[in-house]
Amino acid sequence: MSLFINDSLFTGNLLEVILKKRLTATARLEAALKPVKKTCALMSRDESGVLEPHTDLLSVALAVIGFMVFAALMSQTYLGYEDRSFALENYEIASFIAENLADSPALEAESTGLLSAASLDTFSGPNGANERERLFAAFSRNYRFLVEVRTGDGQWHWQIKPDDAEPDAFADGLEKVAASVPVVIELNPAESVPGTLTVVIYKTEWN
């Protein structure tokens, strides 16, 4: 009888122990899962990655600004080189034309080596269209130029331009290059004065 009671008690205690172990294991499992859930919640609330698109936009903007500055500098460098190239190439042409006109028989006075003021009056006057046409026809049409002759004291000034040029072809603001040669101008058979003959070449689309 005592054995049966003891066995019953032992069996009851054993069940209680097993139940307690299961409850403890379940509690530990729940406790182990709870930090994982909290971690996931923290990860979903982490806003540190929100700034990354703004950082990319700033980098792109700086790169674009840098490229624009570089392009502007390169453009100015190219334009400066182009201007210098035009001046160097066309200065030699202007000098060549000036030297030829200084020795031209059409402008020469009766005394060899002198320019005739009377001829300059004709070439620069309203009645000299034919003379101007022949003068400019002797040179390439690829160059748009005019001729100026001045006395050293500035009292006399002649300007010879082609008649077929556009009204604004020789505007003051246009890019140009000039070359001068010294000359002696015969004002009349009894008076000659020093001066300069200047050829001014204006930049065109083809030069």
Side-chain angles (χ1 to χ4, degrees), residues 9-32:
L9 290 172
F10 178 77
T11 303
N13 290 337
L14 182 61
L15 290 174
E16 290 178 1
V17 170
I18 292 172
L19 289 174
K20 285 181 180 179
K21 286 184 177 180
R22 287 184 177 178
L23 290 173
T24 302
T26 303
R28 288 180 179 177
L29 180 61
E30 292 178 354

Side-chain angles (χ1 to χ4, degrees), residues 116-134:
S116 170
S119 297
L120 293 173
D121 289 338
T122 302
F123 274 88
S124 60
N127 298 323
N130 293 332
E131 286 77 5
R132 287 190 293 271
E133 183 178 359
R134 287 194 296 269

Side-chain angles (χ1 to χ4, degrees), residues 86-195:
F86 167 78
L88 290 174
E89 291 178 2
N90 289 275
Y91 177 79
E92 296 181 0
I93 301 297
S95 299
F96 173 79
I97 296 174
E99 291 173 359
N100 277 269
L101 290 177
D103 296 330
S104 173
L107 299 177
E108 194 176 38
E110 292 183 1
S111 301
T112 305
L114 303 181
L115 295 186
S116 170
S119 297
L120 293 173
D121 289 338
T122 302
F123 274 88
S124 60
N127 298 323
N130 293 332
E131 286 77 5
R132 287 190 293 271
E133 183 178 359
R134 287 194 296 269
L135 183 145
F136 288 103
F139 302 96
S140 174
R141 293 288 184 177
N142 292 334
Y143 299 98
R144 180 191 299 162
F145 68 94
L146 59 81
V147 181
E148 292 184 338
V149 180
R150 299 174 183 269
T151 58
D153 56 11
Q155 292 185 1
W156 297 89
H157 173 222
W158 297 269
Q159 188 178 78
I160 306 171
K161 296 190 295 185
D163 294 311
D164 58 353
E166 298 177 359
D168 58 346
F170 301 104
D172 292 336
L174 297 178
E175 186 176 356
K176 54 186 178 291
V177 60
S180 300
V181 293
V183 293
V184 178
I185 304 165
E186 184 183 81
L187 299 178
N188 55 64
E191 183 182 7
S192 298
V193 294

Side-chain angles (χ1 to χ4, degrees), residues 49-70:
V50 174
L51 295 177
E52 292 182 1
H54 297 284
T55 304
D56 294 340
L57 290 175
L58 180 60
S59 300
V60 172
L62 290 175
V64 171
I65 293 172
F67 176 77
M68 292 176 65
V69 172
F70 175 77

